[in-house]
Amino acid sequence: MPADAAVPPARRPRARACSAAAALALAAGLGAGAAAPAAAGPPPEVRFATFNASLNRAAPGELTEDLATPGDPQAAAVAEIVQRVRPEVLLVNEFDYVPPADPGDPTSSPPVAGFLENYLGVSQDGADPIDYPYAFIAPSNTGVPSGFDLNDNGSVGGPDDALGFGFFPGQFGMLVLSQHPIDTDAVRTFQDFRWADMPGARLPDDPATPEPADWYSPEELAVLPLSSKSHWDVPVLVDGRTPVHVLASHPTPPVFDGPEDRNGLRNADEIRFWADYVLPSRSRYVYDDDGGRGGLEPGDAFVIMGDLNSDPFDGDSLPGAAQQVLESPRVNARTVPDSDGAVEATALQGGANLTHEGDPAHDTADFADGTPGNLRVDYVLPSKSLRVTDSGVFWPVQADPLSRLTGTFPFPSSDHRLVWVDVRVPPAR
Ligand SMILES: [Ca+2]
Ligand SMILES: [Ca+2]
Ligand SMILES: [Ca+2]
Ligand SMILES: [Ca+2]
């Protein structure tokens, strides 16, 4: 096996009908999607990736501090993975939210600035630095006090009574980085959309009472959002003109609860939100944080990205939860990103992995092997209008020197692996 088997080949945008200017841009190592002029030939390929990078910390300010200078070994390993794969559009899950110093410039959020300047922008162990001129961040429900005893343990407060599990507001947030411009005015967020406002919401039941779906009181449901972090529709403009909607989220883990399964049910509805959002016939109930109604139009191109905390076959999520998006008539899920490293990990780690129904090559997270085992939980799911040309999961086999970046527990970077998909983006009409 070649030493760099886990590293995807560089994209070849317009390789078959390359203009001289585009060839020069490529030779100069520029992101051709962002830099190349419009040219005849096949539509540009764009690499989209999602990575739950575990860039969360135990207390507010810690991530800012860790990224303010080079030398945080975990952030360096995360950055090197990004530099090796070189996605043009990247969703980072588990990146603590800190408001930007300049509200109009997301890259001025201190940990974002630190990550860009001190890690991604600096060669990590010989890999080329990578620039992301465009970014999007926004507040997260994690760690925001609800004022209610949501977990019914008899006291109010703490991470499990927050609007989304977290020890402080913004912990486990999200970050979108892009080499293509972001249509900032068209971004929509769904942080405040209430779970109870979803028709047919899977509201949990308190098994100790005869009334159905009564785990949460009406007062609690009046404040409880659907999204445990946030749901974002971030349109990136490929080549500065063709919108592709990045649909970013990080549904709650379906565990850490009781027989009422409040987290499993919420996880399934957080995933369902996108299945509804991409179908005009099902999205009428949706409202965003600015009061805008509805979802995508029939012709809109999109990529659903994120750690959805649901494997289609194994683990603890509700049966069929991941299938809501995988089997959507608008989603192109035929090509499943895979890796040799995940197959090797299942063989080496055994345990629950050996009883899994899902193909181990599709796993994206290295979880405990007693339960639940390694799972496919991280997704990059393009719309059917986008043709997939290549894809993969960055999970090198142990003989690959880059295996030092993913490793074994306790992981040098994250318990999740970066998932990437290349798609052809037809120019907007
Ligand atoms: Ca409580
Ligand atoms: Ca009940
Ligand atoms: Ca494992
Ligand atoms: Ca598995």
Side-chain angles (χ1 to χ4, degrees), residues 148-157 160-161:
F148 291 98
D149 181 15
L150 294 181
N151 66 355
D152 279 14
N153 73 342
S155 67
V156 174
D160 207 21
D161 284 340

Side-chain angles (χ1 to χ4, degrees), residues 291-309:
R293 307 289 302 204
L296 294 184
E297 300 294 327
D300 290 341
F302 64 84
V303 185
I304 297 170
M305 299 213 283
D307 171 6
L308 300 186
N309 270 313

Side-chain angles (χ1 to χ4, degrees), residues 135-151:
F136 181 76
I137 50 163
S140 169
N141 285 322
T142 38
V144 176
S146 70
F148 291 98
D149 181 15
L150 294 181
N151 66 355

Side-chain angles (χ1 to χ4, degrees), residues 1-371:
M1 179 148 299
D4 61 348
V7 177
R11 290 180 315 96
R12 297 170 301 277
R14 300 191 185 89
R16 278 175 281 164
C18 217
S19 73
L24 279 172
L26 282 171
L30 300 173
E45 277 179 35
V46 181
R47 178 164 295 160
F48 290 84
T50 196
F51 190 11
N52 181 333
S54 282
L55 285 170
N56 60 281
R57 295 295 184 263
E62 276 188 22
L63 185 65
T64 297
E65 195 178 319
D66 286 354
L67 300 184
T69 53
D72 180 88
Q74 186 229 349
V78 167
E80 185 175 344
I81 291 169
V82 176
Q83 290 176 353
R84 299 286 175 190
V85 178
R86 310 198 76 72
E88 292 163 70
V89 181
L90 170 67
L91 170 65
V92 182
N93 284 131
E94 298 198 349
F95 191 99
D96 295 341
Y97 172 74
V98 179
D102 168 1
D105 177 11
T107 64
S108 71
S109 163
V112 176
F115 191 45
L116 290 171
E117 288 163 22
N118 299 322
Y119 291 89
L120 294 173
V122 178
S123 171
Q124 304 293 341
D125 211 62
D128 287 338
I130 191 162
D131 285 333
Y132 290 102
Y134 307 100
F136 181 76
I137 50 163
S140 169
N141 285 322
T142 38
V144 176
S146 70
F148 291 98
D149 181 15
L150 294 181
N151 66 355
D152 279 14
N153 73 342
S155 67
V156 174
D160 207 21
D161 284 340
L163 296 180
F165 183 93
F167 289 86
F168 59 88
Q171 191 184 28
F172 310 114
M174 313 193 287
L175 166 67
V176 172
L177 297 174
S178 179
Q179 296 179 335
H180 300 271
I182 291 170
D183 186 356
T184 308
D185 292 341
V187 170
R188 302 176 72 192
T189 64
F190 304 92
Q191 183 188 8
D192 298 335
F193 177 84
R194 282 181 307 185
W195 190 2
D197 289 338
M198 174 178 259
R202 297 165 163 109
L203 299 175
D205 175 49
D206 178 354
T209 66
E211 296 79 16
D214 63 344
W215 178 269
Y216 295 119
S217 67
E219 294 75 23
E220 290 169 342
L221 289 175
V223 303
L224 187 63
L226 169 67
S227 191
S228 55
K229 282 82 183 177
S230 193
H231 281 51
W232 299 341
D233 172 353
V234 181
V236 298
L237 298 170
V238 171
D239 284 352
R241 60 201 174 103
T242 306
V244 175
H245 295 258
V246 170
L247 305 181
S249 67
H250 184 190
T252 199
V255 287
F256 314 121
D257 53 14
E260 84 289 351
D261 198 19
R262 65 188 191 282
N263 292 331
L265 295 162
R266 190 181 192 183
N267 168 275
D269 274 353
E270 288 195 73
I271 297 171
R272 178 191 150 190
F273 183 85
W274 291 135
D276 290 349
Y277 190 73
V278 301
L279 284 178
S281 61
R282 281 169 43 178
S283 65
R284 275 189 294 264
Y285 70 87
V286 167
Y287 56 86
D288 62 38
D289 294 333
D290 291 326
R293 307 289 302 204
L296 294 184
E297 300 294 327
D300 290 341
F302 64 84
V303 185
I304 297 170
M305 299 213 283
D307 171 6
L308 300 186
N309 270 313
S310 176
D311 181 299
F313 302 107
D314 304 303
D316 301 298
S317 66
L318 237 60
Q323 280 85 347
Q324 294 174 110
V325 285
L326 290 171
E327 295 175 1
S328 161
R330 289 209 58 200
V331 169
N332 175 4
R334 216 165 31 158
T335 306
V336 182
D338 62 9
S339 74
D340 294 335
V343 177
E344 182 191 56
T346 271
L348 290 173
Q349 297 174 3
N353 296 300
L354 302 180
T355 62
H356 279 179
E357 258 182 72
D359 184 341
H362 298 165
D363 288 340
T364 68
D366 189 343
F367 291 146
D369 303 307
T371 181

